[in-house]
Amino acid sequence: MNRILFVCSANIQRSKTAEDYFSEQYPSLEFASAGTNLRLCRKEGTNPLTEELMEWADIVLVMEERHRKAIMTNGGARFGKKVRVLGIPDRYKYFQRELILLLAERSVGYIE
């Protein structure tokens, strides 16, 4: 698995932190991030989740169950086998130490 996609709601805090942190830690792997809330992504100028990103990824690590459900509901059922839920709530800021520790702990086994 060389291409890992992180997904949260708006691609501002959690998924963006994950992409940036793991890109530094594992330069031989490819990382991307996106948000499921198109309106917020447009407003904030961040990456919305697209079918192309889902196809690109070998594995998709979503922050919450609601992100997995959004993918499945919006025609992404065929991607279901590569989606994993990390269980990280939306209460952290970009690159917050506690967020990085949770990301590192919950991503074990998915990123090598």
Side-chain angles (χ1 to χ4, degrees):
M1 288 183 247
N2 294 323
R3 295 175 299 206
I4 298 141
L5 175 63
F6 292 98
V7 177
C8 68
S9 299
N11 190 226
I12 298 171
Q13 312 292 351
R14 296 172 289 172
S15 62
K16 187 62 179 156
T17 295
E19 177 187 7
D20 294 346
Y21 172 75
F22 286 111
S23 291
E24 290 175 6
Q25 300 300 309
Y26 299 91
S28 63
L29 301 178
E30 294 179 65
F31 298 93
S33 62
T36 58
N37 187 318
L38 183 58
R39 184 184 59 77
L40 279 176
C41 289
R42 283 183 181 153
K43 178 183 175 193
E44 298 296 331
T46 59
N47 294 329
L49 184 61
T50 63
E51 187 172 334
E52 291 78 22
L53 278 172
M54 291 297 296
E55 289 172 357
W56 169 86
D58 294 316
I59 189 163
V60 179
L61 300 177
V62 301
M63 298 300 148
E64 298 178 68
E65 176 62 23
R66 66 186 170 128
H67 302 123
R68 186 194 68 76
K69 286 181 182 175
I71 290 169
M72 297 300 124
T73 300
N74 293 303
R78 70 180 193 270
F79 301 118
K81 290 185 179 184
K82 60 172 141 178
V83 176
R84 302 291 181 272
V85 180
L86 297 179
I88 299 176
D90 189 10
R91 62 173 167 234
Y92 300 99
K93 300 292 182 197
Y94 176 77
F95 242 83
Q96 186 176 335
R97 183 176 185 275
E98 292 84 357
L99 174 56
I100 291 171
L101 292 173
L102 268 178
L103 287 165
E105 173 188 311
R106 303 220 175 138
S107 297
V108 170
Y110 301 124
I111 300 173
E112 300 171 11

